[in-house]
């Protein structure tokens, strides 16, 4: 209903944002630059950041930007399925009929990766999201599965993404075999104050806003309440639009934002 009240063509701050509609914040660009770099070096990379920092979104943009005749993307969020489902998923993603024993499955996956890279000239790109959920045994498995030390060059790209404590866990002694193989590490920063304002305007423009809906003070309030994390900005802004519409305010002021954030439990 607020869409009509504010004459918007679509819902702003929605999850279904197309990759082409990204906002070029510095953390976003840093993430993409590092991912681009991995296209050349291959091997393992790690991206960590607070919830709602924009990791999954940037990874999706990166994945969609890859030329399918040169890269084969296999995206796997750890929140779905068991570890064995994951290995099977990798085999299936590589076009294999998964073997049932784990050792055979590992061998099968490694062979399939080599065939992709050496024979088909396609680099498999594995994106493992929500890795903070991974058990140590799984992290250890990954260091075995993605060990191609006998080869002169890495035949894959593996990106691990998750919350900041994933990085702490990787620095523990027993996870060193995996940690030592990680060539690229990046911790996602929040948006700066200026960026939050531009980010809000960006989303409002995509939604077809043709006049100012958030006052400068409202934007400042969203900036401080969200601490610059994109998902929180989205949430507070959405609740503010709802509240503003209910109160029949053409211009959303700080007061509405503060009440809306409280309603949203922020
Ligand atoms: N550069 C950006 N441009 C436009 N929207 C963005 C950008 N970065 C993040 N967002 C928005 O912020 C929301 C949260 O981002 P995302 O889901 O990627 O966070 P996350 O870091 O993966 O969080 P979690 O750790 O909880 O999975 C997304 O729905 C997306 O719409
Ligand atoms: Mg995510």
């Amino acid at each position: 209903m607020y869409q009509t009240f504010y004459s918007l063509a679509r819902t702003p701050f929605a999850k279904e944002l197309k990759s082409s509609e990204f906002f070029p914040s510095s953390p976003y660009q840093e993430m993409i630059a590092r991912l681009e770099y991995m296209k050349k070096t291959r091997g393992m990379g790690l991206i960590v950041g607070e919830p709602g920092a924009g990791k999954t979104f940037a990874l999706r943009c990166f994945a969609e930007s890859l030329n399918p005749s040169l890269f084969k993307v296999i995206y796997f969020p750890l929140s779905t399925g068991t570890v064995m489902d994951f290995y099977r998923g990798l085999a299936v993603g590589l076009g294999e009929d998964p073997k049932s024993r784990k050792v055979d499955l590992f061998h099968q996956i490694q062979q399939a990766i080599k065939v992709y890279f050496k024979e088909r000239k396609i680099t498999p790109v594995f994106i493992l999201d929500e890795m903070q959920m991974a058990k140590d045994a799984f992290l250890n498995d990954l260091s075995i599965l993605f060990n191609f030390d006998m080869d002169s060059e890495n035949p894959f790209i593996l990106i691990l993404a998750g919350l900041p404590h994933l990085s702490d866990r990787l620095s523990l002694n027993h996870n060193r075999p995996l940690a030592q193989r990680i060539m690229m590490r990046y911790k996602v920063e929040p948006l700066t104050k200026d960026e939050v304002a531009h980010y809000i305007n960006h989303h409002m423009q995509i939604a077809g806003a043709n006049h100012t809906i958030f006052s400068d003070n409202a934007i400042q309030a969203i900036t401080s309440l969200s601490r610059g994390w994109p998902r929180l900005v989205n949430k507070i802004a959405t609740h503010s639009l709802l509240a503003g519409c209910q109160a029949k305010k053409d211009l959303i002021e700080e007061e509405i934002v503060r009440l809306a954030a409280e309603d949203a439990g922020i």
Side-chain angles (χ1 to χ4, degrees), residues 201-213:
N201 285 332
H202 176 84
H203 276 272
M204 292 306 286
Q205 264 169 26
I206 288 172
N210 49 22
H211 63 284
T212 304
I213 295 173

Side-chain angles (χ1 to χ4, degrees), residues 55-56 129-130 231:
K55 303 180 292 295
T56 303
D129 206 353
E130 291 158 25
R231 187 182 294 131

Side-chain angles (χ1 to χ4, degrees), residues 2 5-6 17 19 21 25 48 53 56 58 93 109 116 125 133 139 159 165 195 203 207 211-212 223 231 241 248 266:
Y2 65 80
F5 182 78
Y6 289 112
L17 200 70
S19 53
E21 295 169 335
S25 63
V48 294
T56 303
I109 294 168
Y116 255 94
V125 180
M133 300 188 144
L139 296 177
I159 312 288
H165 68 259
E195 282 178 331
H203 276 272
H211 63 284
T212 304
T223 307
R231 187 182 294 131
L241 286 165
K248 304 229 170 341
I266 292 158

